[in-house]
Amino acid sequence: MELSSLLHDLHLSSSSSSSSSSSSSSSDKPLPSPYLPITELLSQLQEKLIGASSDSETSTLIGHVEQLFKIADPNWLFTANQDDGWAELQEAYSNLVSALIGCASLPLCEDDCSSLPAAAYQSVPNLAQAVCSALTALLGTLGNGGSRTGLLLVVAPHLCVLAVTHFQDQPWTSSSSRAGARSLQEALLRTGGWRNSPHLLMGGGSPTKEGEEEGKDRGILRGILDILQPQLTKDLWHRYEAVKLVFAWTLLQVTRPSLSPHLSRFLPPSLLLTDHFRQENCILGVRCLHHIVLNTPAADLRQFNRAEVLYQVLFKHLYSTDTAVIKEALSA
């Protein structure tokens, strides 16, 4: 499919699309000049995704977005308008990525007493697979360019949260959606030059050399925590079935000395999980606390009476009637 046909199908051609470009290009890909400014196009795609009225319409739109990322000229996709600059382009991509991810979002639990039935997630795996495929295509095109590190760092936390949500064996995933999520995570690591998931989160390595892209070795941990934190409150976390799993996965990738600066954001959710009445949440929380203790300097744990709080929480679980919880508490 050619780009002009794709934009026509989406009803996104600009009024100037009928005019022909006077310049020639050595690229086989379509010239960008007859089409909408990329920020305007991304904004319209975002609106269409949010306004889709059915899963079928949503899937079709996601497929069109994937084709856009595959066939459009990267110089058009990732070139900022002189008047708008990189900030607007990054915001436009961030909003579109959020809209895509929203298409694969999980329904909220009604309370903290039980999980949703598997039937509630019936449409999620197919949509998640499509979204992961579209975003993998975006990374493939993004990785073929030069100085796009800033844009990658803007969208990377969102992509990582999506991938972790869907590559685990859970009621809302299928073998296909898990494979798509793993492919997305691998593409993210490859595009950013990160060695593995801990490196993706924490960054690190040799200082930037002259001529290298600034920020090339930055981690995205802060960005991930910014995404998760609004859902990790005392009143909300149990309604988001995946957030505890993404939080725990994130924490368990982070080791010293990178954990300590974020201790104030890791410790409260871990305590919430530990204090929950459901066994799986309690065990997950104890594992998180164990990891925090192992990877935080004692001086930091003693600040603000944290060590005493940890001791009291873990000691309480030694008197639990649940042997699995006792075993986890003893290991901590």
Side-chain angles (χ1 to χ4, degrees):
M1 177 183 289
E2 293 184 355
L3 181 58
S4 57
S5 300
L6 177 61
L7 296 181
H8 181 269
D9 290 345
L10 287 167
H11 307 291
L12 294 177
S13 298
S14 68
S15 58
S16 62
S17 62
S18 59
S19 63
S20 59
S21 174
S22 59
S23 61
S24 60
S25 172
S26 59
S27 172
D28 292 331
K29 293 189 175 182
L31 288 170
S33 54
Y35 306 114
L36 289 169
I38 185 59
T39 51
E40 185 178 343
L41 173 64
L42 297 174
S43 177
Q44 291 191 26
L45 286 172
Q46 175 198 352
E47 292 175 2
K48 283 182 172 289
L49 287 166
I50 293 174
S53 58
S54 67
D55 290 344
S56 176
E57 182 183 357
T58 300
S59 295
T60 300
L61 284 169
I62 295 170
H64 285 325
V65 173
E66 179 177 358
Q67 287 301 310
L68 172 70
F69 292 149
K70 285 182 175 180
I71 67 177
D73 186 347
N75 291 326
W76 174 54
L77 287 174
F78 305 120
T79 299
N81 187 299
Q82 289 183 352
D83 297 328
D84 303 324
W86 269 101
E88 184 175 354
L89 183 67
Q90 291 177 357
E91 182 181 5
Y93 269 104
S94 179
N95 290 339
L96 177 62
V97 166
S98 295
L100 282 166
I101 292 173
C103 297
S105 61
L106 308 185
L108 298 181
C109 298
E110 295 182 0
D111 51 48
D112 65 346
C113 296
S114 60
S115 300
L116 292 173
Y121 303 115
Q122 185 174 2
S123 64
V124 173
N126 288 339
L127 289 171
Q129 181 184 2
V131 170
C132 288
S133 182
L135 293 174
T136 300
L138 170 62
L139 289 173
T141 306
L142 189 61
N144 290 331
S147 302
R148 298 170 187 161
T149 301
L151 178 56
L152 177 62
L153 290 172
V154 167
V155 300
H158 299 276
L159 305 192
C160 185
V161 169
L162 173 70
V164 177
T165 298
H166 293 281
F167 68 43
Q168 305 186 57
D169 189 0
Q170 296 295 332
W172 56 84
T173 67
S174 65
S175 58
S176 298
S177 67
R178 289 192 292 272
R182 285 192 293 269
S183 295
L184 175 62
Q185 184 77 346
E186 291 166 1
L188 179 58
L189 295 175
R190 185 168 57 251
T191 303
W194 290 292
R195 297 185 299 273
N196 48 36
S197 294
H199 187 211
L200 168 67
L201 268 60
M202 296 182 288
S206 58
T208 302
K209 299 178 181 179
E210 186 177 355
E212 289 185 344
E213 293 179 36
E214 184 178 357
K216 182 179 180 181
D217 215 22
R218 283 175 52 188
I220 62 170
L221 175 58
R222 188 181 302 276
I224 290 178
L225 292 176
D226 288 343
I227 294 170
L228 297 181
Q229 193 157 15
Q231 301 175 7
L232 285 171
T233 64
K234 181 179 180 180
D235 296 326
L236 290 179
W237 73 268
H238 54 266
R239 300 196 64 197
Y240 295 89
E241 191 72 7
V243 70
K244 62 187 178 186
L245 302 176
V246 179
F247 168 79
W249 178 90
T250 301
L251 170 59
L252 296 177
Q253 307 300 313
V254 181
T255 55
R256 64 169 70 203
S258 298
L259 195 153
S260 188
H262 302 280
L263 185 58
S264 62
R265 304 179 78 178
F266 278 129
L267 187 56
S270 300
L271 292 171
L272 283 175
L273 287 169
T274 307
D275 197 41
H276 200 250
F277 64 90
R278 288 171 60 182
Q279 181 198 68
E280 64 270 25
N281 293 334
C282 186
I283 291 175
L284 188 62
V286 172
R287 288 175 182 168
C288 289
L289 292 181
H290 186 200
H291 184 81
I292 288 173
V293 170
L294 290 177
N295 289 279
T296 306
D300 290 339
L301 289 177
R302 284 194 289 266
Q303 281 187 332
F304 310 113
N305 209 31
R306 289 166 176 155
E308 181 65 22
V309 171
L310 287 170
Y311 175 80
Q312 293 295 337
V313 168
L314 294 172
F315 187 78
K316 179 187 70 173
H317 286 303
L318 295 179
Y319 292 91
S320 170
T321 58
D322 193 320
T323 55
V325 174
I326 294 174
K327 182 178 179 180
E328 287 293 333
L330 286 172
S331 68

